[in-house]
Amino acid sequence: MDRQEIVQWLKCSPGEELDSLREKADQLRRLSVGDEVHLRGLVELSNICSRNCSYCGIRRDNLSIKRYRIKTEEVLRCAHKAVKFGFGTLVLQGGEDPGLTKEFISDLILRIKTETDLAITLSLGERNVDEWQEWRKCGADRYLLRFETSNKDLFHRIHPPQEGQPQCDRVAMLKTLQALGYETGSGVMIGVPGQSYDDLARDIELFAELGLDMIGVGPFIPHPQTPLGMKENVKMAAEQVPNSVEMGLKVLALARIVCPGANIPSTTAFATLDRKSGREMGLCWGANVVMPNLTPVEYRKLYEIYPSKAASTETPEQSRDAALIQIKHLGRTPGRGRGDSPTHLEQLTKPIRKEG
Ligand code: SAH
């Protein structure tokens, strides 16, 4: 699929033609990753962040939220809960918190790996190669780092560098993570002010070029305590992409078509914008993963990257039950085992992993 064709799909109105896109993505999903929906237990480790991203509610300059960092023992309790619930993976996500030191995370990985058989996914933002290498040695399996948008000017506008540091290159970082042997995930927000259809089509091409093992996408949701949540700051692109569920679903489907063997979650952003059917629609438009939240309830509402986040008051048990009911309703089955991506498993059988 070339860029022009992707743009045409992104602009396609609801109707028979768009139905055919959903059907194609759903069929490819079934053929490539099957009917299992993998459940990943999400633990939000810390909302402390040294970065100042203009889209994110836990940015450094948001002084109106109470900050927290979880304790190791609490994460271990979440890990045991994930095992009890039958999940194969624990996802550890957080802000770029200097207190989540190399040693803290290493110790956490080693303890989870000693006490359980869970696969571990890290989503801790931009860290040093030295840290990524060490965590991999300790047993971390996967790393998620969205490149957010392939438009470099837009990325730098919404994601300023650390003070005194050069602009960062998330695409180069993703290649480093792949070379370290991580199952590697990335993705974008859909409808960030300033994002054009051409930008978004380029994002989808980049998913394929990077040969991603995991792809996470979701509509941008403005947060009132951030620059992009304040109307006066917002600069729209000439051909601005809307931040709608419908546009998000098209991107999910196209991601499945360009990367058939990837693990693709129906993300919380869909469930937040459409509480009743957002998550199920994601699963019908190409997704094969859901991430029930296991974060202890007292921290849950503090990890507010965007407002009214779905499931922010649910207990872990309620999050699991809701996911299982939705999976059953769709006639699908909960995934068993770790749920590694076929794309990654294929790479492992090749003698040299693609680099550079
Ligand atoms: N600090 C980590 C984890 C960030 S939270 C990192 O930067 O990788 C995970 C994802 O949530 C981000 O990558 C971003 O794509 C998404 N996100 C953040 N703010 C958002 C918003 N306002 N609307 C929608 N998605 C958002």
Side-chain angles (χ1 to χ4, degrees):
M1 222 186 298
D2 64 16
R3 180 111 47 111
Q4 217 180 347
E5 199 184 335
I6 299 176
V7 169
Q8 274 171 7
W9 280 118
L10 293 172
K11 290 184 174 173
C12 181
S13 310
E16 263 175 45
E17 207 188 347
L18 191 55
D19 291 347
S20 75
L21 181 73
R22 190 199 73 73
E23 277 155 26
K24 184 169 179 201
D26 197 40
Q27 199 176 16
L28 260 179
R29 185 269 308 153
R30 192 173 315 119
L31 285 173
S32 321
V33 293
D35 273 336
E36 289 193 332
V37 177
H38 298 290
L39 296 140
R40 321 290 201 201
L42 175 65
V43 187
E44 294 154 337
L45 298 184
S46 166
N47 70 350
I48 300 169
C49 195
S50 59
R51 306 302 290 262
N52 225 359
C53 304
S54 61
Y55 48 88
C56 183
I58 64 168
R59 71 199 300 268
R60 186 191 66 205
D61 286 356
N62 183 2
L63 303 180
S64 67
I65 51 169
K66 195 175 136 210
R67 304 281 173 167
Y68 76 90
R69 182 180 310 124
I70 204 165
K71 293 188 180 61
T72 300
E73 293 307 322
E74 293 175 303
V75 185
L76 289 170
R77 277 201 288 278
C78 298
H80 287 290
K81 203 163 266 189
V83 174
K84 194 174 119 205
F85 287 178
F87 300 173
T89 299
L90 202 65
V91 181
L92 305 177
Q93 189 178 84
E96 285 183 32
D97 172 4
L100 295 177
T101 60
K102 177 166 99 173
E103 294 71 26
F104 177 90
I105 298 294
S106 297
D107 173 62
L108 200 51
I109 298 166
L110 289 171
R111 292 189 62 182
I112 296 168
K113 287 286 178 179
T114 310
E115 295 181 24
T116 76
D117 287 331
L118 292 167
I120 297 180
T121 304
L122 301 175
S123 172
L124 301 171
E126 297 164 15
R127 307 286 305 223
N128 299 327
V129 179
D130 175 43
E131 294 173 310
W132 284 334
Q133 202 158 21
E134 185 62 26
W135 297 337
R136 179 87 188 110
K137 267 197 225 145
C138 291
D141 301 275
R142 310 183 186 132
Y143 205 95
L144 297 172
L145 183 70
R146 291 188 181 180
F147 59 78
E148 314 294 1
T149 168
S150 57
N151 175 332
K152 286 214 157 53
D153 288 344
L154 178 60
F155 180 67
H156 294 146
R157 251 188 286 144
I158 66 177
H159 183 271
Q162 292 273 31
E163 258 148 62
Q165 298 289 318
Q167 289 294 7
C168 54
D169 181 347
R170 283 196 172 187
V171 172
M173 289 179 190
L174 288 164
K175 290 179 182 168
T176 301
L177 289 162
Q178 288 176 326
L180 289 172
Y182 280 98
E183 227 180 291
T184 303
S186 193
V188 297
M189 287 177 287
I190 296 146
V192 175
Q195 182 186 48
S196 70
Y197 282 90
D198 197 58
D199 293 335
L200 186 53
R202 172 72 196 123
D203 296 346
I204 293 165
E205 283 184 331
L206 191 51
F207 296 161
E209 280 166 32
L210 287 167
L212 296 173
D213 305 307
M214 305 176 283
I215 303 172
V217 300
F220 163 69
I221 305 173
H223 187 300
Q225 256 93 42
T226 62
L228 284 185
M230 299 170 191
K231 287 229 158 48
E232 61 276 20
N233 290 319
V234 170
K235 211 174 117 221
M236 295 296 180
E239 281 222 294
Q240 175 65 42
V241 171
N243 59 336
S244 61
V245 170
E246 185 187 299
M247 186 58 66
L249 294 172
K250 290 184 201 174
V251 177
L252 264 186
L254 291 162
R256 171 61 67 201
I257 291 166
V258 301
C259 293
N263 279 326
I264 304 184
S266 179
T267 55
T268 310
F270 287 102
T272 298
L273 291 178
D274 184 338
R275 302 235 159 205
K276 203 167 140 267
S277 41
R279 186 194 266 161
E280 286 193 27
M281 285 197 288
L283 289 172
C284 296
W285 283 75
N288 70 320
V289 170
V290 294
M291 296 166 68
N293 202 323
L294 299 183
T295 309
V297 177
E298 67 264 35
Y299 302 132
R300 198 78 78 84
K301 55 187 176 306
L302 302 175
Y303 196 82
E304 202 192 53
I305 51 181
Y306 46 77
S308 317
K309 208 162 129 231
S312 65
T313 55
E314 266 179 18
T315 63
E317 284 75 11
Q318 287 167 330
S319 296
R320 171 208 51 188
D321 290 345
L324 290 177
I325 289 168
Q326 286 162 335
I327 292 167
K328 194 165 172 216
H329 183 228
L330 295 172
R332 313 255 285 267
T333 49
R336 305 210 164 265
R338 290 163 43 109
D340 294 316
S341 101
T343 307
H344 186 71
L345 296 173
E346 247 169 54
Q347 283 283 352
L348 292 180
T349 58
K350 289 186 187 160
I352 300 167
R353 183 155 179 136
K354 195 173 65 194
E355 259 182 70

